[in-house]
Amino acid sequence: MNALMEMPYQVVPFLVLALPLAGFTVLALFGDSIKRGKPYETTGAGYLACGTVIVAFLLAAWSVRSLLGLGVRAEDLRFAQPSLGWPPGDPERWPLAWISVGGLEIPFALLLDPLSSLLLLVVTGIGSLIHVYSLGYMAHDEDRVRYFSYLNLFTFFMLVLVLAGNLPLMFVGWEGVGLCSYLLIGFWFKKKSASDAGKKAFIVNRIGDAGLILGMIVAFHAFGTLDLVDIASNAGSLTPDRLGQVGAITAVCLLLFVGAAGKSAQIPLHVWLPDAMEGPTPVSALIHAATMVTAGVYMVARLAPLYHASPTASVVVAVIGAATALMAATIAMVQTDIKKVLAYSTVSQLGFMFLAAGSGAYGAAVFHLFTHAFFKALLFLGSGSVIHAMGGEQDIRKMGGLLKKIPVTGATFAIGTAAIAGVPFLSGFYSKEEILAGTLGAPALGPLLLGVGLFTAGLTAFYMTRLFVLTFLGRFRGDLETEHHLHESPMSMLVPLCLLAVGSIVTGWHWLIDVPGFLQPVFRLPEAHVHHVGWLMPAAIGVALAGIAVAAFLYTLYADVPARLKERLGGVYRVLDAKYGFDRAYDAFASRVVVGGSETLLWKGIDTSVIDRAVNGAGEVTAAVSRRVRLLQSGVVRGYALVILMGTVAILGYLMWPR
Amino acid sequence: MTPPVVDVLPAIPALILAVTGLAVLLAQAFTPRGQAAPGAPFSLAGLLAALVAVYLLAARGGGDLGGTYVVDAFSLYFHALIIGVGLVVVLLSPSYLRATGIDRGEYYTLVLFSLVGMLGLVSCRELVSLFVSLEVMSVALYALAGLHRARPESQEAALKYFITGAFSSGFLLYGIALLYGASGSTSLVAVGAALRTPGPATAALATMGTGLLLVGFGFKVASVPFHMWAPDVYEGAPTTITALMSAGVKAAAFGALLRVFGQALPALAASWQPAVAALAVVTMVVGNLGALAQSNLKRMLAYSSVAHAGYLLAAVVAAPGIGVEAVLFYLVAYAAVNLGGFGALAALARQGREPLSLDDVAGLASRRPALAAALAVYLISLTGVPVSAGFVGKFFLFRAAVNAGWTSLAVIGVLMSVVSAYYYLRVVVAMYMREPLGEDAWAPVPPSAGLALGLSAAVVLALGVHPEPVLTWARLAARSLL
C-alpha cells in the first residue's frame, strides 16, 4: 500500500484522543469564569464538550471505514506517538518511548484492530449521544461545566484504555476512567450517599488494580514484554514442550482477571456498581453500562490467546461470570428503585459476557458487549427521562401508567426491554444466543454453564418485564402533584433515545453487521467449533417468552400474587433484599477487622500499651497513667530503645544462627 | 617536580554549603537584636552555587578526595537530589518560620549543615568519615527538631530523636568496629576485598558487623522495628524540618546503605538479603496499618514514610542488580511528594497553627484550589496511581523484587499499597467532597512556598509521564557502584 495514503491513519488515532482532552482542558481551565459568565457561555461549554466527542466519532468512523476499504490487515495497524517521521509506521523511527530502561521498552503505542476499532466506535458513538442527552438532562444544574469537563476527560481516558498497545498504557486509561467514574459518582457530593458511593467504587477498584499490577509484573517476568500483541502471539505459539510456562500463564490470567472483576463488577467485587447509581443518570448510562464497566471484558478478549492457553483460568472466568449473572438477576427481581434494577441487570449481563469469554467464545462476549452498550444505554437514558418526568422520584412502586404520559420514552423503553429480554429479531437475542451456544465449548462444566445461562436468561426477561409493567402500565400510583407535572423530555433527550432504540434493534442483524466474523482474526485462535445445537434457539426463545409472560401476568392480572409470594417466601425475599449480604460482610470486615484491628492492635496495642507495659512492668505504671503523662514520656522513650534492642537481637540472632 | 596536590574540587559543593552556613550565622551576629538575618536569600544563593558546582563536577567526570570522599555518578545523583531538597525546604521556610515565630538565623545554618552531612553520607567510601558525616547531619537535625522552644511537642521530639538516635549510632559504630576487626581496614573497597576470602573467625565478625550496620541504617530510614521515633519526631518538629527529614535524610541514608552494602558487603549478600527482606515486610505492614489508624495528618504522613521505607527495602534486597536504580528513581519521586505534602501543611500555617486534621482541610479545594490540586497530586502519587511518579517508581521497585526472585515481597507491597489508598484518599475526599468548616483560618499561600509546591507537583507529574531521563541517570549512577 502506498505509504502516502497511510499517513492520515497514523495521525487520526492521536487526533481522536486529542479532541476530548482538548475539550477537557478548555473546560477545566476556564470553567470558573464560564460559570460566572453569561448563560450562553455555559450552554456553549456543553456544546463544546459534545462537539469534541462527535467530531472524534466522525473521524473514528471515517478512519475505520477507510481502513477496511483499503483491504489493510487491520490487525497489524500499530501506531506510536505521532510518528510523523518518514517512512511512517516504521517502528525504528517511533520517536518517543514513554519508558525505556533496563530491557523494558514501553512506547506510547496505540493499536487499531477490529476489536479496538469496534470499541472506539462504541465509546465515541454512544458517548456522543449521551453527551447530547446530557445537554437536556443537566440543563438546570449549576455545576454543569464541571460535569461536562469530567465527561470529556472520561472519554479521553476510555479511548486511551481501548486504543492502548501495551498493558501499562492500558492501565493509565484504566486508572483514568476509574478516577473520572469516582468523580462523577460523587458529582453531587453534598449528598453523603453520593460521596460514600464514590469512595466505595474507588476502594473496591483498588483491590482489582492490585491484581492488575501484579499481573503485569508477572507477565513481564514470564514473557519479557508488555506489548498486547506480543503477549498474545507468545501465548499462541506455546508448544507442548514449553508447558512449564502454562503455570505462569494461569497466574497472569487469574491476576489480570482480578482487575477485570473489579472494573466489570464481578463477584466478589461487584458491590460498588449498584451504589454507583448515585451519579447523574447519563453517567450511569455511559460509564456504568456502556463503556467503562465493559473494560474487563475487553481486556480478557484482548488477551484471548493467553486465556485460551490456560483452561484453568478460563473455567474460573466462566464460573465467576455465570455465578454473577445468576446472582445479580435474582437480586434485580426484588429491587424497587428503577436505576438499581438496571444496575443489577448490568452486573448480570457483564456476567454473561465473562461466561462467554471463559467458555472460549470471545467473539460472542464482545458481540454482547456491543449490543448491550446500545440497549443498556437506551434503558438508562430512558430511566433518566422517567426520573426527569417524575421530578426526581426513582421508586417504581410510585409510578405506573406512564406510557400514555411520556409515549416516546415508553416506546423506546419497551424496545430496550425486549432487546435485553431476548425477544427474537432484536439485537440482544442474537448475542445472547451466541453466548449460550458458546458455553458448550467451555473447557469443563459446559452443560452446567449452559443451564445456568438459560435459566438466567429467563430471569432477565422476568425482571425487565416487571420493571416495564410497573413503570409504564396500569394506573399511576404517585401523588397528584407529581402526576400533574408529568411531561415528556426535551428533544435533546428524545433524539438520542430514538437513535439508541434503532441501534438496539439492528445491531444484531448478521447481514448488516457481522460482529463475530469481523472480530475473528483478532483472537488468533483456530476456527472455534461452534456447537449450534438444534434445540438451543427454540429453548432460548422459550425461556424469554416464558419470563415475559409470567411477569406480565403477575404484575397486571394477578397483582396480589407477588405480595403473597413475598409473605410466603419471606426468607428468600430477605436474602435477595439484602443482596446476599455482601455489603454487610464487607462493612464488618473493613470497619472492625482492618480499621479497628490496626487501631487497637497495632497502634494503641503495640505502639503504646504493650511497650509501656513491657518497660514499666505491670505494677509500676499502668497504660492509662502513661497516656496522661504526655510531657516527655520518658518511659516511652525507654520503650523505643527496648524495641530497637529487640530488633537488633532478632537480626543478629538470625545472621549468627549456625547453618 | 610538582608537590603532591590534594584535589579538593570534589568537596566543593559541600564546602560551599558549609561556608554559606557560617556566613548566615555571622550575618545573624551583625543583625540588630530581635531581627532576623536574611538567611533565606543567603541559603538560596549558596544552594544554587552548590548546584552549579555539582554540574561542573559532573561535566568534569567527578573526582576523588584521597579515596575517602568520592564524587562518582552515584554521589552526583544524590548531590543533585539533596541540594534540590534543600532548595525546596529553604523556599518553604521563611513564611512558615514567621507564622510560627521561630524565625532565627541559626535555622538556616543548621539546615545547611545537615545538608553537608547528607552530601558526605552519600559520598564517603570510608566507614569512619561516613560515620562523621552521619553525625554532622544528625546533630544539626536534633537541634532543628527542637527549634520550637515554646512547644512541648517540639522539645519532646528533639529529646526522643536525640536519645534513640544516639542509641542507634552506638550500634552503627560498633558494627564499623567489627568490620574493621574482620578486614583490617575501614575503606569500603578494602573491606569488600577482604571479605571475599574470609576465615571462620573473620566471617563471624563481619556477619555481626553487618547486622549492626543494618540496625544503624534501619534507624535512619525509619524501618520497623527501629521506626518508633518517626511519628513523634515528625509530628513535633517544625513542619519544614519534617519535610527535610522525610525527603533528605531518607534519601541520604538509603544512599549510604546502598553504597556500603553494595561495595563492602556483597560477599555476605546471601546472609543479609533475607534479613533485609524481613525488615521490608514488617515495615510495609506496620507502616501502612499504623497510618490507617492516624487522625493527625503529620503522624499519618510519618507512618506513610515508614511504609515507603518498606517498599524501598523490598528493592534493596535486589540491590546488586536493578534494585539500585529502582531505589534511586523512587527516592526522587518520594522526595518530591513528601516535600510537597509537608510543604502544603507548612504553607497554610498561620499564627502558630497549621492544618493537622481532616476537619482542618475539609473543603480546601474551594478555598485554595491550586494548593488542594497540588496536594491531591502528591497523595495520588503516594498511592501509586499512573501518570504520577509514584506509579512508575513502585512499578520498578516491585519489578526489581520479582526479578531477584522475591515475588512475595512484591505481592505484599502491592497489597499494602491498596490499603494505603484508604488513608491517602480520606484527605482528598475531605478536600474535594466536604464543605469547609467555619471561618477560613489559614494563611494565603505565600509566593515562595507556592513556587516550591508547584515545582514538586511538576516533578511528580513529569516523572509520571516521561520518567526516562531520570531513569537513565539512575541507571548510570547505579552502574558506578559496581
Side-chain angles (χ1 to χ4, degrees):
Chain A
M1 191 180 72
N2 190 334
L4 199 63
M5 291 181 66
E6 207 180 312
M7 267 293 280
Y9 312 117
Q10 298 285 333
V11 185
V12 165
F14 291 98
L15 206 53
V16 170
L17 278 182
L19 277 164
L21 184 63
F24 164 73
T25 313
V26 171
L27 295 183
L29 287 181
F30 304 109
D32 270 354
S33 58
I34 295 174
K35 197 174 148 189
R36 280 194 300 271
K38 302 211 166 56
Y40 69 82
E41 290 180 21
T42 333
T43 319
Y47 285 134
L48 173 73
C50 294
T52 56
V53 184
I54 293 173
V55 175
F57 170 66
L58 294 176
L59 274 174
W62 173 74
S63 70
V64 170
R65 210 188 135 63
S66 335
L67 282 176
L68 296 178
L70 286 169
V72 182
R73 281 190 32 186
E75 54 181 319
D76 291 333
L77 288 170
R78 289 149 83 179
F79 307 115
Q81 177 81 26
S83 43
L84 297 173
W86 197 261
D90 176 4
E92 295 301 312
R93 308 201 41 171
W94 289 352
L96 265 182
W98 176 27
I99 296 171
S100 160
V101 73
L104 180 61
E105 295 273 341
I106 304 176
F108 236 109
L110 304 186
L111 170 66
L112 193 65
D113 66 354
L115 180 57
S116 58
S117 54
L118 189 75
L119 268 285
L120 175 65
L121 294 177
V122 168
V123 173
T124 52
I126 294 187
S128 301
L129 295 177
I130 291 171
H131 271 74
V132 172
Y133 178 94
S134 299
L135 284 179
Y137 191 81
M138 299 297 283
H140 307 298
D141 195 293
E142 58 172 25
D143 257 346
R144 56 190 182 281
V145 179
R146 183 164 63 97
Y147 171 84
F148 277 112
S149 72
Y150 289 167
L151 219 52
N152 260 353
L153 185 66
F154 169 79
T155 310
F156 165 73
F157 277 123
M158 191 66 209
L159 291 172
V160 170
L161 195 166
V162 164
L163 289 172
N166 52 54
L167 277 173
L169 192 56
M170 181 193 265
F171 188 56
V172 170
W174 189 275
E175 286 292 315
V177 290
L179 176 72
C180 295
S181 148
Y182 156 65
L183 288 173
L184 282 164
I185 294 169
F187 183 74
W188 288 312
F189 60 77
K190 286 169 192 166
K191 240 164 70 183
K192 184 170 181 334
S193 57
S195 63
D196 282 354
K199 244 189 288 185
K200 189 168 176 183
F202 188 87
I203 290 169
V204 173
N205 271 297
R206 290 299 302 170
I207 297 172
D209 295 343
L212 202 57
I213 296 175
L214 286 173
M216 277 198 287
I217 292 175
V218 178
F220 184 73
H221 194 58
F223 310 125
T225 175
L226 288 173
D227 188 281
L228 287 166
V229 177
D230 289 350
I231 290 180
S233 48
N234 261 7
S237 64
L238 205 67
T239 47
D241 59 302
R242 293 183 65 205
L243 277 181
Q245 272 202 348
V246 172
I249 289 184
T250 303
V252 171
C253 287
L254 289 177
L255 285 170
L256 293 180
F257 181 62
V258 173
K263 189 113 297 183
S264 296
Q266 298 298 292
I267 293 176
L269 301 180
H270 63 281
V271 289
W272 66 272
L273 186 54
D275 289 19
M277 298 300 130
E278 291 289 345
T281 304
V283 168
S284 312
L286 178 63
I287 301 183
H288 305 118
T291 55
M292 182 189 83
V293 291
T294 61
V297 182
Y298 169 72
M299 181 176 67
V300 172
R302 171 56 79 203
L303 296 171
L306 202 62
Y307 280 87
H308 188 74
S310 167
T312 318
S314 291
V315 170
V316 171
V317 172
V319 168
I320 296 271
T324 308
L326 179 61
M327 177 210 65
T330 51
I331 296 176
M333 297 195 321
V334 300
Q335 293 297 309
T336 53
D337 178 318
I338 183 168
K339 285 181 74 180
K340 285 278 165 75
V341 178
L342 293 176
Y344 278 104
S345 151
T346 304
V347 175
S348 174
Q349 298 299 308
L350 290 166
F352 267 109
M353 296 175 208
F354 281 109
L355 169 60
S359 309
Y362 302 98
V366 179
F367 186 23
H368 197 58
L369 186 165
F370 182 64
T371 59
H372 176 257
F374 284 89
F375 57 70
K376 190 50 70 63
L378 168 63
L379 289 168
F380 265 115
L381 294 186
S383 78
S385 182
V386 168
I387 295 166
H388 195 72
M390 294 283 299
E393 181 59 66
Q394 302 192 181
D395 192 336
I396 50 177
R397 287 169 301 188
K398 295 180 184 156
M399 300 179 183
L402 294 183
L403 187 59
K404 279 168 288 184
K405 308 279 185 180
I406 45 174
V408 181
T409 305
T412 50
F413 204 93
I415 293 172
T417 305
I420 190 175
V423 170
F425 309 116
L426 274 70
S427 61
F429 166 73
Y430 296 102
S431 52
K432 209 172 279 181
E433 217 268 304
E434 288 268 340
I435 289 179
L436 294 175
T439 52
L440 288 175
L445 305 175
L448 175 68
L449 294 173
L450 175 62
V452 173
L454 265 176
F455 181 62
T456 309
L459 291 182
T460 309
F462 175 85
Y463 67 73
M464 285 309 300
T465 311
R466 165 181 176 267
L467 177 65
F468 181 79
V469 170
L470 287 179
T471 309
F472 288 101
L473 303 181
R475 276 184 316 103
F476 185 73
R477 296 179 295 274
D479 50 36
L480 282 174
E481 172 78 15
T482 316
E483 186 169 17
H484 185 68
H485 283 116
L486 282 176
H487 59 284
E488 186 61 286
S489 300
M491 284 310 278
S492 60
M493 290 165 70
L494 295 183
V495 170
L497 284 181
C498 294
L499 290 174
L500 286 170
V502 174
S504 305
I505 299 172
V506 303
T507 46
W509 294 352
H510 287 254
W511 51 269
L512 190 68
I513 316 165
D514 178 17
V515 175
F518 178 60
L519 293 172
Q520 191 54 44
V522 181
F523 302 128
R524 293 156 192 263
L525 299 177
E527 189 68 35
H529 179 62
V530 184
H531 306 257
H532 273 296
V533 189
W535 51 266
L536 190 56
M537 189 177 287
I541 298 174
V543 293
L545 295 182
I548 293 174
V550 171
F553 279 116
L554 278 185
Y555 289 95
T556 53
L557 300 178
Y558 304 97
D560 56 328
V561 175
R564 287 223 305 276
L565 274 178
K566 190 168 152 183
E567 228 164 73
R568 190 72 59 80
L569 300 172
V572 178
Y573 182 82
R574 271 196 299 280
V575 169
L576 293 182
D577 199 42
K579 297 137 193 166
Y580 294 91
F582 275 101
D583 277 326
R584 190 187 283 178
Y586 287 167
D587 280 350
F589 179 75
S591 61
R592 283 186 212 139
V593 181
V594 180
V595 178
S598 70
E599 244 167 46
T600 48
L601 184 78
L602 260 158
W603 182 49
K604 287 184 192 133
I606 295 179
D607 263 22
T608 320
S609 49
V610 170
I611 290 145
D612 286 355
R613 282 181 202 152
V615 177
N616 300 330
E620 193 188 334
V621 185
T622 63
V625 174
S626 85
R627 286 190 67 80
R628 246 173 268 154
V629 188
R630 274 296 291 167
L631 201 66
L632 296 187
Q633 294 191 341
S634 57
V636 178
V637 175
R638 265 192 287 156
Y640 295 179
L642 181 75
V643 176
I644 292 177
L645 193 63
M646 292 192 307
T648 311
V649 169
I651 287 182
L652 289 184
Y654 167 78
L655 287 176
M656 305 303 291
W657 197 259
R659 258 164 297 190
Chain B
M1 193 181 154
T2 49
V5 177
V6 178
D7 183 6
V8 291
L9 280 181
I12 288 281
L15 287 175
I16 292 177
L17 295 187
V19 170
T20 315
L22 292 174
V24 173
L25 208 55
L26 275 179
Q28 180 66 52
F30 286 105
T31 313
R33 223 179 156 71
Q35 280 183 26
F42 268 88
S43 315
L44 278 183
L47 284 163
L48 288 174
L51 204 56
V52 172
V54 170
Y55 176 76
L56 293 175
L57 264 179
R60 187 173 168 269
D64 187 340
L65 196 72
T68 314
Y69 187 98
V70 286
V71 177
D72 49 10
F74 184 80
S75 50
L76 279 172
Y77 184 90
F78 275 101
H79 272 60
L81 170 57
I82 289 166
I83 294 173
V85 168
L87 277 171
V88 173
V89 169
V90 170
L91 281 175
L92 287 169
S93 296
S95 54
Y96 180 77
L97 296 184
R98 273 196 303 277
T100 48
I102 48 171
D103 194 0
R104 288 199 298 270
E106 65 264 32
Y107 172 89
Y108 293 102
T109 304
L110 289 169
V111 167
L112 290 167
F113 284 174
S114 77
L115 292 174
V116 170
M118 293 178 206
L119 292 186
L121 202 49
V122 296
S123 312
C124 283
R125 206 156 58 176
E126 195 270 333
L127 286 167
V128 174
S129 27
L130 186 115
F131 182 74
V132 172
S133 303
L134 185 86
E135 289 303 302
V136 168
M137 173 184 87
S138 304
V139 170
L141 287 170
Y142 298 148
L144 282 169
L147 209 63
H148 257 313
R149 271 182 298 205
R151 273 172 50 185
E153 294 93 337
S154 182
Q155 298 301 305
E156 181 187 329
L159 201 60
K160 279 185 177 169
Y161 195 26
F162 174 66
I163 293 173
T164 52
F167 192 56
S168 68
S169 287
F171 286 110
L172 190 75
L173 200 55
Y174 195 32
I176 291 174
L178 288 179
L179 280 186
Y180 176 71
S183 64
S185 170
T186 55
S187 150
L188 296 183
V189 181
V191 172
L195 294 187
R196 230 159 270 141
T197 50
T202 326
L205 279 183
T207 315
M208 201 157 162
T210 307
L212 292 172
L213 284 184
L214 199 54
V215 173
F217 286 123
F219 178 83
K220 289 295 170 200
V221 304
S223 151
V224 178
F226 317 114
H227 71 291
M228 314 227 15
W229 58 276
D232 295 342
V233 175
Y234 279 30
E235 183 189 4
T239 308
T240 46
I241 296 309
T242 311
L244 177 66
M245 287 195 282
S246 73
V249 175
K250 190 153 289 193
F254 264 107
L257 175 71
L258 286 174
R259 191 188 279 282
V260 171
F261 279 67
Q263 289 189 330
L265 306 170
L268 299 175
S271 47
W272 59 255
Q273 272 173 347
V276 175
L279 285 184
V281 170
V282 289
T283 307
M284 288 189 281
V285 172
V286 173
N288 277 303
L289 296 186
L292 211 55
Q294 303 306 318
S295 52
N296 178 307
L297 293 182
K298 276 171 91 176
R299 281 188 88 85
M300 184 272 272
L301 285 173
Y303 273 103
S304 133
S305 139
V306 172
H308 280 79
Y311 303 140
L312 285 158
L313 284 173
V316 169
V317 177
I322 61 169
V324 178
E325 60 193 75
V327 172
L328 294 193
F329 180 82
Y330 199 75
L331 283 173
V332 176
Y334 180 70
V337 164
N338 266 285
L339 289 172
F342 286 114
L345 300 183
L348 292 172
R350 174 184 261 178
Q351 292 173 348
R353 277 195 68 224
E354 58 195 295
L356 290 177
S357 69
L358 288 178
D359 285 346
D360 288 342
V361 296
L364 198 63
S366 58
R367 287 179 173 168
R368 305 274 184 288
L371 184 123
L375 190 50
V377 167
Y378 311 137
L379 291 167
I380 283 174
S381 182
L382 280 168
T383 320
V385 172
V387 207
S388 70
F391 168 68
V392 180
K394 266 189 196 159
F395 186 84
F396 281 103
L397 287 183
F398 296 145
R399 188 173 70 106
V402 170
N403 277 11
W406 293 90
T407 314
S408 52
L409 285 182
V411 172
I412 295 170
V414 172
L415 293 180
M416 282 297 133
S417 317
V418 172
V419 170
S420 77
Y422 182 76
Y423 57 82
Y424 294 130
L425 178 74
R426 272 197 304 209
V427 183
V428 179
V429 167
M431 289 196 302
Y432 279 87
M433 302 206 164
R434 276 178 56 187
E435 293 292 313
L437 295 171
E439 287 294 292
D440 191 349
W442 310 119
V445 181
S448 69
L451 175 66
L453 296 178
L455 272 178
S456 315
V459 168
V460 172
L461 292 176
L463 289 186
V465 174
H466 195 58
E468 213 197 312
V470 177
L471 276 174
T472 314
W473 195 15
R475 187 159 37 148
L476 278 180
R479 280 217 195 108
S480 76
L481 264 196
L482 300 175

